[in-house]
Amino acid sequence: MSIVIKQDAFVTDEVMQIVARERAVALSAREWKHRLAGYGYSIRDTDDGKHLLETLPHHVTLCELPEELFN
């Protein structure tokens, strides 16, 4: 199954600022995912170890998240 990523550079940058800010204030990955859901986003982990940011509730993939957000 191939993953189609819908990208608009400006929107992706704006969303990534939200994602990074919320990660910085979240005490755990679980809290972070909950906070992102409040903005209408979810994180999907793939079989090959990637983390994809998706919209809720339609699960449209926006971008791949950098690994440093998970460390």
Side-chain angles (χ1 to χ4, degrees):
M1 180 173 120
S2 65
I3 299 169
V4 177
I5 297 179
K6 307 277 185 184
Q7 284 190 322
D8 175 306
F10 178 75
V11 173
T12 301
D13 183 53
E14 294 291 315
V15 171
M16 286 304 298
Q17 288 179 27
I18 294 169
V19 170
R21 183 182 68 233
E22 291 302 321
R23 182 62 183 124
V25 297
L27 300 176
S28 67
R30 182 178 177 185
E31 179 188 353
W32 179 40
K33 290 177 181 183
H34 181 76
R35 294 173 73 94
L36 289 178
Y39 287 97
Y41 300 107
S42 69
I43 298 172
R44 181 169 59 93
D45 300 323
T46 65
D47 292 337
D48 58 353
K50 294 179 181 179
H51 309 283
L52 303 177
L53 185 68
E54 298 180 327
T55 63
L56 289 175
H58 303 292
H59 299 284
V60 175
T61 303
L62 297 176
C63 63
E64 182 178 338
L65 295 173
E67 191 62 38
E68 60 263 13
L69 289 174
F70 295 87
N71 297 328

